[in-house]
Amino acid sequence: MISTETAVHALLAKLPPLRQEIAKVIVGQEAVLDEVLVALLAGGHALLEGVPGLAKTLLVRTLAQATDLPFRRIQFTPDLMPTDILGTEILEEDHGTGHRSFKFNEGPIFASLVLADEINRTPPKTQAALLEAMQEGHVTYAGQEHALPKPFFLLATQNPIEQSGTYPLPEAQLDRFLLYIRIGYPTEQEELAVLSGTTGTARPEVKSVLAGEDVRQLQQLVRQVSFSPELLSFVNRLVRATRPATSEVKFIQDYGRWGAGPRAGQALILCAKARALLQGRFAATLDDIRALAPAVLRHRVLLNFNAEAENLTSDDAVVALLKAVAV
């Protein structure tokens, strides 16, 4: 725990330089970067979706450099096996005594910052290898639990337009992601800056700003951010309104197939607190909730075939919910 006000402010003072270091490499995408940092501070995981070439992998690599966290990248392919992620046991022999024993050889999941690149390119059997790690913070192999480092932050990427050879993530796995972040194309000026900055000889040097202990302390600090009973009630009603069987929101009644569970409310509260802290505030507001509701709910609200026929998405559902649920 952080014991003094001075220590708190010294810790928060590191957040603006963190953004500045990442901005040396990543041009624009401020909203995306905000959501990634919110997920990190809230202690959850994030799924990044965007077409090829939008610097998803580069963003995660730059974040690893700026936070000085042990980083591993896993390239997901159709032939990837669970042991390629988690690790496996190997038989070792003591040459002095001749005694043989099995030793667990840790896989790339044993890092503080893990990039699961193109996660939807691997079959469900391999995707499921991440479930226990994401939820419990440890891996079980041969009946033995192996703790993952703390902090443990998984960032997965996927391409929305690639269909051949892909395996959509099941809803149970999507729910393990705190945020589902969509990355759009850059503006004209941002793209011009990218073209200018990446085709010359200059290579920006990213300095480490946050250590692993700093991240752990920030994650503890997020839970101490004030959240009023009125906002708590609003989040509760917002999440409950996503469920077609009990919702009074017409959009959900007409187009909803399945609503969000209690984990969505927990995620929205923690993310709102993290956003407040990221902006130097010690109390969450309604704006924090509204800003993060799409990323928290878009993968937890499932729509029916009628919605698909009318080209409606879960983002449309979130907009309708925010308009209909009384503050």
Side-chain angles (χ1 to χ4, degrees):
M1 294 290 289
I2 308 173
S3 56
T4 66
E5 185 177 347
T6 303
V8 169
H9 287 287
L11 192 59
L12 294 181
K14 295 182 179 182
L15 292 177
L18 174 65
R19 294 176 59 90
Q20 293 167 10
E21 290 300 315
I22 297 174
K24 289 180 180 178
V25 177
I26 304 300
V27 178
Q29 304 290 6
E30 287 88 356
V32 172
L33 177 56
D34 277 344
E35 290 178 346
V36 169
L37 293 178
V38 161
L40 176 64
L41 297 187
H45 311 290
L47 177 63
L48 297 173
E49 182 182 87
V51 298
L54 295 184
K56 299 185 295 295
T57 303
L58 182 61
L59 170 60
V60 182
R61 284 188 177 277
T62 307
L63 176 63
Q65 291 176 316
T67 53
D68 194 27
L69 295 174
F71 171 69
R72 300 294 292 273
R73 176 181 178 271
I74 308 171
Q75 178 61 57
F76 280 68
T77 57
D79 60 347
L80 193 72
M81 298 297 290
T83 51
D84 296 328
I85 300 172
L86 306 179
T88 186
E89 284 188 338
I90 57 175
L91 184 63
E92 285 192 339
E93 180 178 351
D94 187 326
H95 296 290
T97 63
H99 177 71
R100 295 181 177 181
S101 60
F102 284 99
K103 178 185 177 183
F104 181 69
N105 192 29
E106 295 179 349
I109 195 71
F110 286 85
S112 288
L113 180 56
V114 177
L115 169 60
D117 216 358
E118 297 182 301
I119 191 173
N120 58 335
R121 277 183 150 302
T122 198
K125 174 183 179 181
T126 306
Q127 292 175 4
L130 296 173
L131 286 172
E132 183 184 16
M134 293 172 67
Q135 186 64 29
E136 308 295 338
H138 60 71
V139 167
T140 302
Y141 190 93
Q144 296 293 320
E145 288 187 1
H146 303 273
L148 293 170
K150 292 183 180 180
F152 172 67
F153 185 39
L154 179 79
L155 274 162
T157 69
Q158 68 176 13
N159 178 359
I161 63 174
E162 191 170 11
Q163 301 296 327
S164 178
T166 60
Y167 306 83
L169 293 175
E171 283 74 15
Q173 180 134 14
L174 281 173
D175 196 38
R176 297 300 201 281
F177 287 101
L178 190 75
L179 295 180
Y180 186 164
I181 303 169
R182 286 192 172 137
I183 304 179
Y185 288 109
T187 65
E188 182 177 356
Q189 291 302 316
E190 290 170 351
E191 191 162 359
L192 186 63
V194 170
L195 296 177
S196 172
T198 58
T199 55
T201 58
R203 291 291 182 269
E205 180 183 352
V206 178
K207 299 177 182 178
S208 173
V209 176
L210 283 182
E213 181 59 29
D214 294 329
V215 175
R216 284 193 294 270
Q217 290 182 352
L218 283 166
Q219 289 176 348
Q220 293 174 0
L221 197 58
V222 162
R223 292 180 173 268
Q224 300 175 40
V225 171
S226 175
F227 203 87
S228 72
E230 291 80 10
L231 289 181
L232 197 68
S233 174
F234 174 70
V235 169
N236 187 41
R237 286 182 284 111
L238 183 67
V239 171
R240 292 179 64 83
T242 65
R243 302 164 191 168
T246 57
S247 180
E248 296 180 358
V249 179
K250 189 176 188 318
F251 187 102
I252 299 298
Q253 292 173 349
D254 293 343
Y255 301 113
R257 180 162 63 92
W258 203 257
R263 188 181 282 148
Q266 295 170 335
L268 190 50
I269 292 169
L270 283 174
C271 288
K273 289 184 173 187
R275 184 176 186 267
L277 198 67
L278 199 59
Q279 296 183 359
R281 292 181 281 110
F282 294 94
T285 67
L286 184 62
D287 287 341
D288 295 322
I289 295 171
R290 291 185 180 276
L292 291 163
V296 170
L297 295 176
R298 65 167 52 108
H299 56 301
R300 294 181 167 103
V301 177
L302 306 182
L303 303 183
N304 57 27
F305 293 111
N306 294 332
E308 187 175 347
E310 296 185 30
N311 290 322
L312 297 172
T313 67
S314 55
D315 281 5
D316 297 317
V318 176
V319 171
L321 285 162
L322 289 173
K323 288 182 179 178
V325 177
V327 178

